[in-house]
Amino acid sequence: MENKKNRASAWFEELRTSICSSYEQLEQDYAGPYCDLAPGKFERKSWRREDLGGGDGGGGITAVMEGRLFERVGVNVSTVHGTFSEEFAKAIPGAEEDPRFWASGISLVAHPWSPHVPAVHFNTRFIVTTKAWFGGGGDMTPTFPDDQDTKDFHNAFKAACGKHDPEYFPKFKKWCDDYFFIKHRNEPRGVGGIFYDNLDSGDWDADFAFSQDVGRAFRDIVPKIYRRHMDQPWSEEERDALLYKRGRYVEFNLIYDRGTLFGLKTGGNVDAILMSMPPEVKWR
Amino acid sequence: MENKKNRASAWFEELRTSICSSYEQLEQDYAGPYCDLAPGKFERKSWRREDLGGGDGGGGITAVMEGRLFERVGVNVSTVHGTFSEEFAKAIPGAEEDPRFWASGISLVAHPWSPHVPAVHFNTRFIVTTKAWFGGGGDMTPTFPDDQDTKDFHNAFKAACGKHDPEYFPKFKKWCDDYFFIKHRNEPRGVGGIFYDNLDSGDWDADFAFSQDVGRAFRDIVPKIYRRHMDQPWSEEERDALLYKRGRYVEFNLIYDRGTLFGLKTGGNVDAILMSMPPEVKWR
């Protein structure tokens, strides 16, 4: 198991490095509105769980870029271990027997300035209690959905899933649609993607390879979608439409998102958790 | 009981009318930044519970003003009746015996443009199940707290409480501090005020008179506080401080506020409930 933990966390770090390079390249190449501003660069801050009073150990690195194409992109990689409270232990597979856990993962949220460039969210993680499983996914939230973008985004995950199990894509796509639904608005948060959790097929290497392929699929498709739209100018009305759309995003994250609420209620790193909040939002 | 219901709902409407006049007068008198814009006026929209699929009947009037002093003020008065779901009936006094309810109330949220003018929130309500009680309160959220404002705001409620019961003010002030606390940030939402619920002393007339005095105290103190600061100019940094403060306000409302979550999960009027959201918000 130590070897598996090391391989998973090393992959999340490697993926972070290549994703961050790709985002910095997009900032460099950007030629749209306000491109006279300097291109953004990621700033990395490391944090340790014990410094935050979270109990037990480990920590992570929060990489944030505020640029001219991206209003904010946050990429967290963390590898922590701790002990679930009695309340939470009941809800987590394998934790009722022993409340100790180990978890490593990468998460990303990117909020572009432009209403023509979709916001995206991605994460993959490996969790160990008395059980061990992978989870994660990626989804896209455009202000003005574009059929080609949506098709390409879904197809990238479909191809990644298809390499592993023909049932993965339809199952994980539906799981994403069901999960990222804003019940009180009766509307989806975005155009979907995939979402999976508790993945333990019995073949760890296969599950790890699948999570790697999900990460690569996200890393490779997203820049293509960005490049189609990123240099296009926008109007104030279009920017406002983005800001209102972000309001729905905030409603989802704070009312329904299990990861956000779980993190906030278990003494997680508040800044790292709420890095998913959009930089600017409007409600009407 | 019919007479009590009528008196309570008529008072909430009367209070709405006088509060709205007071807010419109403030818009008229405003002489600060952007005072070349036209002063705001409330726009009223009525809604009926049955049109929203909420079940049973009644409705309300949503009054919204977007002006030059107030980025947005929303004042809702609603008088509705319905039937609680089994799940909620357990949590509401007197509803387990019979899930039908009647409720009337006024609520107000005011978000000024200026970081020197505090945001305020106020509501009072009369709820009838097999029991009947008043609830409500008012609280203030300045970006830059001012000792005199805070003292005067608290003293206005202290005077209103003191006319009725010497225990009310300390009890309801603490209740407010405990309620409007953002646990994951370990910080209060604002500088407090009062909060009370399930008020049924056995003397309905006294409880009604108390709720009326709370409404008058709010109506009369708030313009005094506004007028002290409203014409003062602000910097972009001060405006950003207001927008970040509003982010904490949103976190509280969507993660912890019982009224918001209760409303969203019981088929309430989403627009009326989320009228409490600030018009513009930033997260850093």
Side-chain angles (χ1 to χ4, degrees):
Chain A
M1 184 52 78
E2 285 315 302
N3 179 42
K4 290 172 181 170
K5 288 176 178 175
N6 291 339
R7 285 172 65 197
S9 63
W11 161 252
F12 297 136
E13 287 173 21
E14 184 187 329
L15 181 62
R16 184 264 324 278
T17 301
S18 66
I19 286 179
C20 286
S21 298
S22 160
Y23 272 86
E24 287 186 344
Q25 190 61 50
L26 287 156
E27 272 288 324
Q28 291 283 346
D29 298 345
Y30 177 68
Y34 307 106
C35 67
D36 50 321
L37 299 173
K41 286 256 173 205
F42 278 98
E43 290 195 15
R44 296 185 182 195
K45 276 188 194 164
S46 64
W47 54 272
R48 295 192 314 161
R49 197 170 153 90
E50 60 189 288
D51 296 337
L52 298 166
D56 296 359
I61 291 178
T62 299
V64 175
M65 179 168 73
E66 298 187 339
R68 53 188 192 172
L69 166 57
F70 295 101
E71 195 167 346
R72 189 181 298 142
V73 190
V75 189
N76 283 319
V77 170
S78 66
T79 301
V80 299
H81 56 274
T83 310
F84 287 121
S85 70
E86 217 173 304
E87 183 197 350
F88 278 104
K90 286 177 195 159
I92 308 290
E96 207 159 10
E97 298 88 319
D98 182 338
R100 289 175 298 172
F101 70 92
W102 179 96
S104 184
I106 177 172
S107 69
L108 174 151
V109 175
H111 291 290
W113 286 101
S114 168
H116 302 301
V117 180
V120 296
H121 161 248
F122 161 77
N123 90 88
T124 48
R125 54 191 178 269
F126 176 50
I127 315 277
V128 182
T129 61
T130 61
K131 302 185 174 179
W133 67 93
F134 286 92
D139 66 287
M140 186 164 74
T141 307
T143 304
F144 303 110
D146 174 297
D147 288 346
Q148 190 64 48
D149 291 351
T150 303
K151 198 174 149 189
D152 291 348
F153 190 72
H154 286 138
N155 280 343
F157 287 124
K158 191 175 182 179
C161 289
K163 284 169 66 179
H164 296 270
D165 189 319
E167 289 181 9
Y168 279 0
F169 182 67
K171 183 178 167 189
F172 298 158
K173 180 179 188 298
K174 183 176 184 304
W175 200 341
C176 183
D177 289 339
D178 292 345
Y179 183 80
F180 291 106
F181 192 78
I182 308 172
K183 289 184 203 73
H184 63 274
R185 298 283 190 181
N186 195 34
E187 67 183 38
R189 186 174 83 167
V191 297
I194 60 166
F195 184 98
Y196 62 103
D197 204 359
N198 306 313
L199 181 69
D200 176 14
S201 67
D203 179 347
W204 189 88
D205 286 297
D207 296 344
F208 178 46
F210 170 66
S211 279
Q212 288 182 302
D213 281 330
V214 168
R216 290 184 196 105
F218 175 84
R219 181 193 62 198
D220 296 342
I221 190 59
V222 160
K224 289 179 189 155
I225 292 171
Y226 288 147
R227 286 179 192 280
R228 274 178 202 156
H229 308 285
M230 71 187 196
D231 295 338
Q232 187 183 335
W234 61 85
S235 68
E236 203 179 315
E237 289 69 29
E238 288 168 331
R239 170 77 183 170
D240 274 349
L242 165 66
L243 299 177
Y244 296 129
K245 184 75 180 170
R246 286 180 177 174
R248 307 299 174 92
Y249 196 92
V250 168
E251 290 174 21
F252 178 84
N253 285 16
L254 298 183
I255 298 177
Y256 303 110
D257 187 55
R258 291 185 311 170
T260 302
L261 298 174
F262 180 82
L264 294 178
K265 289 172 183 180
T266 53
N269 180 346
V270 175
D271 290 329
I273 294 162
L274 293 180
M275 214 176 56
S276 62
M277 291 293 103
E280 188 185 8
V281 181
K282 284 188 179 179
W283 273 272
R284 61 184 141 193
Chain B
M1 184 52 77
E2 285 314 302
N3 178 258
K4 290 172 181 170
K5 288 177 177 174
N6 290 338
R7 285 172 64 197
S9 63
W11 161 252
F12 297 137
E13 287 174 20
E14 185 188 328
L15 181 62
R16 185 264 324 278
T17 302
S18 67
I19 286 178
C20 286
S21 297
S22 161
Y23 271 87
E24 287 187 344
Q25 190 62 50
L26 287 155
E27 273 287 324
Q28 290 284 343
D29 297 346
Y30 177 69
Y34 306 104
C35 66
D36 50 322
L37 299 174
K41 287 258 175 202
F42 279 98
E43 289 194 16
R44 296 184 183 195
K45 277 188 195 165
S46 62
W47 54 273
R48 296 192 314 162
R49 197 171 153 90
E50 60 188 288
D51 296 337
L52 299 166
D56 294 4
I61 291 177
T62 298
V64 175
M65 178 167 74
E66 298 187 338
R68 54 189 193 175
L69 166 56
F70 295 101
E71 196 167 346
R72 188 180 299 142
V73 191
V75 189
N76 282 319
V77 170
S78 65
T79 301
V80 299
H81 56 275
T83 310
F84 286 122
S85 70
E86 218 174 302
E87 184 196 348
F88 277 106
K90 285 178 196 160
I92 308 291
E96 208 158 8
E97 297 89 319
D98 181 340
R100 289 175 298 171
F101 70 93
W102 179 97
S104 184
I106 177 172
S107 68
L108 174 150
V109 174
H111 291 290
W113 286 101
S114 169
H116 302 301
V117 179
V120 296
H121 161 248
F122 161 77
N123 90 87
T124 48
R125 54 191 178 267
F126 176 50
I127 315 277
V128 182
T129 59
T130 61
K131 302 185 176 179
W133 67 93
F134 286 92
D139 65 289
M140 186 162 75
T141 306
T143 304
F144 304 110
D146 174 298
D147 288 347
Q148 190 65 47
D149 292 351
T150 303
K151 198 174 149 190
D152 292 348
F153 189 73
H154 286 139
N155 279 343
F157 286 124
K158 190 176 184 179
C161 289
K163 284 169 66 179
H164 297 271
D165 188 320
E167 290 182 7
Y168 278 2
F169 183 67
K171 184 177 166 189
F172 299 158
K173 179 179 187 298
K174 182 175 185 306
W175 201 339
C176 184
D177 289 340
D178 292 344
Y179 183 80
F180 291 104
F181 191 78
I182 307 172
K183 289 183 203 75
H184 63 273
R185 298 283 190 182
N186 196 33
E187 66 183 38
R189 185 175 82 168
V191 296
I194 59 168
F195 184 98
Y196 63 103
D197 204 358
N198 305 314
L199 181 69
D200 177 14
S201 68
D203 179 346
W204 189 87
D205 286 297
D207 296 344
F208 179 45
F210 170 67
S211 279
Q212 289 182 300
D213 282 331
V214 168
R216 291 185 195 105
F218 175 84
R219 180 192 63 197
D220 296 343
I221 190 61
V222 160
K224 289 179 190 157
I225 292 171
Y226 288 147
R227 286 178 193 280
R228 275 178 201 156
H229 308 287
M230 70 186 196
D231 296 338
Q232 191 182 332
W234 61 85
S235 68
E236 203 179 316
E237 289 69 29
E238 288 168 330
R239 170 77 185 172
D240 274 349
L242 165 64
L243 299 178
Y244 296 129
K245 184 76 181 169
R246 286 180 177 173
R248 307 300 174 93
Y249 197 92
V250 168
E251 289 174 21
F252 177 83
N253 285 17
L254 297 184
I255 298 176
Y256 303 110
D257 188 54
R258 292 186 308 170
T260 302
L261 298 175
F262 181 82
L264 294 179
K265 290 172 183 182
T266 53
N269 180 345
V270 175
D271 290 329
I273 294 162
L274 293 179
M275 213 176 56
S276 62
M277 290 295 102
E280 188 184 8
V281 181
K282 284 188 179 179
W283 273 272
R284 63 181 140 195

